[in-house]
Amino acid sequence: MQYSESGPVSRDEENPFESMKRRFEVAAHYLDLKPGIYDYLIAPEKQVIVTVPIQMDDGTVQVYEAYRVIHNTALGPSKGGIRYAPDVNLDEIKALAAWMTWKCAVVRIPFGGAKGGIKCDPTRLTQVQLEKITRRYTANLLEIFGPEKDVPAPDVNTNSQVMAWIMDTYSMHVQKTETAVVTGKPLFLGGSRGRREATGRGVMLVTMRMMEKIGLAPKEARVIVQGFGNVGSVSASLLHEQGCKVVGISDISGGYYNPGGIDVKKVITYMESHKTLEGFDGADPIDGMELLKQDCDVLVPAAREDQITSKNAPDIRAKIVVEGANGPTTAKADKILDERGILVVPDILANAGGVTVSYFEWVQNRMGYYWSEKDVNKRLKRIMKESFDEVYRLAKDHNVSLRIGAYILGVDRVAKVVRIRGIYA
Ligand code: GLU
């Protein structure tokens, strides 16, 4: 398990679903959506809350609340990760599910949006307990999941092992090995080459494209990455590989800043034996939230929601913010960053590399034929580049931020399909 995602800092600004709605409203205005379609697109199709009991080693029973929200399936089976965290709640999962709908539409993959979560603290659970929770959650949602219905994936605090348990539990119930029911699986169990790195690779690709647009050479770019989990660590190493100078990183143990540059390879090796960044001596320790305000050119929030709020947005010094996490910037903060001329490459574009390679994994499972890493990365690069360029052009045409450009693109694609399909009654 990776626990290096920073915990949420401020959820008081507005709830994530409201934050999502506010951007949707602006996009809807540009698209001239009819009120009925507007209501239909914003409402989740299905919201499931299940109780997950497990028996502990001493015979006592612990009960957890868990969720799966299917936001929209107009484009295809719903797709989205499952997160394990103590503060998971329905509003957060609803917002994340809607973001998956727009995200899949932005990168033009034939999936709808969903998200799931279990309200638990994985740091306090053993592997055996995690397996029990995962299997019971899957069993409770057998009617929801399915390769042609709803396909989960990893998210905060879940990984390929958790996906393998989901796949196995589902397969036991349907009496056949069904790899395509979940993505982000281990490589030898139907996983795709390049899936683990895909979100970070996508972040790197859009960052390079954005830098190109503003004439910032990789060698001149100083980067701060918040969160050193799967997304943050891969983004940092790939940006480093491109010649950028990574000057700041962080995880649950706090921030680490070195204006002279951090040796990312050294950090990765350090993490392998230490699990967290605590004690890393290649940079000066700094408060995790203070790190966001340090001088840099590119800031990659790759931890959790609500990290850049109206409180710290006036102090952000980056030229570009690339959202590796889902919802790291609140709607209020968006406005401030926009007014200050800070360019934000929004989550539904910036971190779409993950679900894109999840789609490749699902396709490979269904074909029974597996691609080389080179093929996966080449296809990912093409999709990220084309999607970035479409969002950029729309934002320019409408004179709006890249965030609103991305919403216009995603919402329009879903709305068009809804119109053509019509409303079944
Ligand atoms: N959890 C990732 C996301 O938020 C991946 C979802 C998926 O691959 O289905 O985009």
Side-chain angles (χ1 to χ4, degrees):
M1 289 272 153
Q2 272 170 330
Y3 301 114
S4 40
E5 318 283 343
S6 302
V9 171
S10 141
R11 294 279 172 93
D12 57 357
E13 188 143 301
E14 69 192 339
N15 87 46
F17 193 68
E18 290 304 317
S19 223
M20 187 285 296
K21 250 162 99 174
R22 287 232 257 149
R23 279 80 170 245
F24 175 85
E25 270 161 25
V26 183
H29 161 81
Y30 285 96
L31 294 169
D32 209 10
L33 287 186
K34 295 218 169 66
I37 298 292
Y38 177 104
D39 294 343
Y40 180 53
L41 287 181
I42 202 107
E45 278 176 21
K46 216 175 263 177
Q47 305 175 53
V48 188
I49 304 179
V50 290
T51 299
V52 176
I54 62 157
Q55 190 155 30
M56 308 305 268
D57 297 346
D58 62 1
T60 58
V61 174
Q62 279 282 350
V63 177
Y64 300 90
E65 187 165 280
Y67 317 89
R68 185 74 181 168
V69 173
I70 312 289
H71 175 255
N72 190 287
T73 56
L75 289 176
S78 49
K79 190 82 194 78
I82 296 171
R83 57 176 57 186
Y84 292 177
D87 55 348
V88 161
N89 61 74
L90 190 60
D91 262 325
E92 178 192 25
I93 300 295
K94 272 166 66 183
L96 289 157
W99 281 324
M100 287 309 302
T101 303
W102 317 135
K103 192 188 297 186
C104 292
V106 164
V107 287
R108 223 192 260 279
I109 57 177
F111 284 142
K115 203 77 170 197
I118 304 183
K119 203 183 192 55
C120 67
D121 183 353
T123 57
R124 292 169 174 273
L125 294 166
T126 63
Q127 279 292 102
V128 174
Q129 290 161 348
L130 279 172
E131 179 173 351
K132 283 186 184 174
I133 289 185
T134 305
R135 288 189 184 274
R136 184 60 188 259
Y137 173 76
T138 309
N140 283 354
L141 292 168
L142 275 181
E143 296 296 315
I144 302 289
F145 296 156
E148 272 136 22
K149 288 160 75 182
D150 179 40
V151 186
D155 201 78
V156 176
N157 290 337
T158 56
N159 57 18
S160 58
Q161 174 62 76
V162 174
M163 299 307 117
W165 290 327
I166 295 176
M167 184 277 225
D168 184 69
T169 309
Y170 184 87
S171 297
M172 289 297 127
H173 281 270
V174 297
Q175 299 272 295
K176 60 180 169 147
T177 294
E178 189 59 90
T179 50
V181 70
V182 65
T183 61
K185 297 178 293 291
L187 205 52
F188 50 87
L189 211 74
S192 174
R193 292 195 167 76
R195 173 61 186 87
R196 194 187 64 79
E197 301 82 4
T199 312
R201 180 169 292 277
V203 166
M204 177 276 284
L205 291 167
V206 294
T207 306
M208 299 303 287
R209 197 86 188 131
M210 188 73 252
M211 287 180 1
E212 203 181 307
K213 294 277 182 201
I214 65 162
L216 177 67
K219 283 207 161 47
E220 289 160 19
R222 294 155 309 147
V223 181
I224 292 180
V225 180
Q226 181 204 30
F228 215 73
N230 183 36
V231 182
S233 62
V234 176
S235 306
S237 16
L238 293 181
L239 285 167
H240 184 69
E241 233 174 75
Q242 294 296 321
C244 303
K245 192 192 271 185
V246 176
V247 294
I249 52 174
S250 74
D251 74 351
I252 36 168
S253 71
Y256 301 83
Y257 185 64
N258 180 352
I262 296 171
D263 183 344
V264 182
K265 278 206 185 81
K266 217 175 117 186
V267 185
I268 308 257
T269 316
Y270 186 87
M271 281 288 278
E272 276 160 17
S273 50
H274 291 78
K275 300 270 185 282
T276 76
L277 295 171
E278 183 134 40
F280 177 69
D281 62 4
D284 293 329
I286 177 174
D287 176 79
M289 288 314 281
E290 282 305 305
L291 180 73
L292 304 184
K293 303 178 189 166
Q294 300 308 304
D295 198 17
C296 66
D297 300 293
V298 181
L299 175 62
V300 181
R304 287 282 298 266
E305 300 95 273
D306 294 354
Q307 302 298 302
I308 306 178
T309 65
S310 58
K311 295 184 190 78
N312 60 3
D315 305 317
I316 301 293
R317 286 150 83 186
K319 294 187 181 77
I320 306 171
V321 174
V322 184
E323 296 184 330
N326 291 307
T329 314
T330 65
K332 280 186 189 164
D334 251 358
K335 194 162 172 279
I336 301 170
L337 296 180
D338 207 27
E339 279 162 9
R340 297 186 53 224
I342 298 174
L343 294 159
V344 179
V345 186
D347 46 8
I348 56 172
L349 167 65
N351 68 39
V355 75
T356 300
V357 178
S358 273
Y359 167 56
F360 297 164
E361 180 172 330
W362 181 82
V363 168
Q364 292 170 79
N365 290 156
R366 290 162 65 95
M367 285 197 299
Y369 175 76
Y370 289 83
W371 310 346
S372 68
E373 187 163 352
K374 206 169 137 213
D375 274 346
V376 169
N377 290 346
K378 202 170 95 193
R379 288 173 208 249
L380 173 65
K381 188 172 179 180
R382 184 176 55 79
I383 290 183
M384 293 310 294
K385 183 184 167 293
E386 283 175 6
S387 308
F388 179 93
D389 290 351
E390 277 180 294
V391 168
Y392 191 84
R393 189 178 42 78
L394 269 174
K396 273 249 144 33
D397 288 354
H398 292 284
N399 195 22
V400 292
S401 66
L402 292 171
R403 167 129 29 230
I404 298 304
Y407 269 72
I408 294 176
L409 185 64
V411 173
D412 188 35
R413 281 183 180 155
V414 182
K416 276 198 179 107
V417 169
V418 166
R419 266 187 230 114
I420 294 170
R421 286 181 63 155
I423 303 294
Y424 176 74

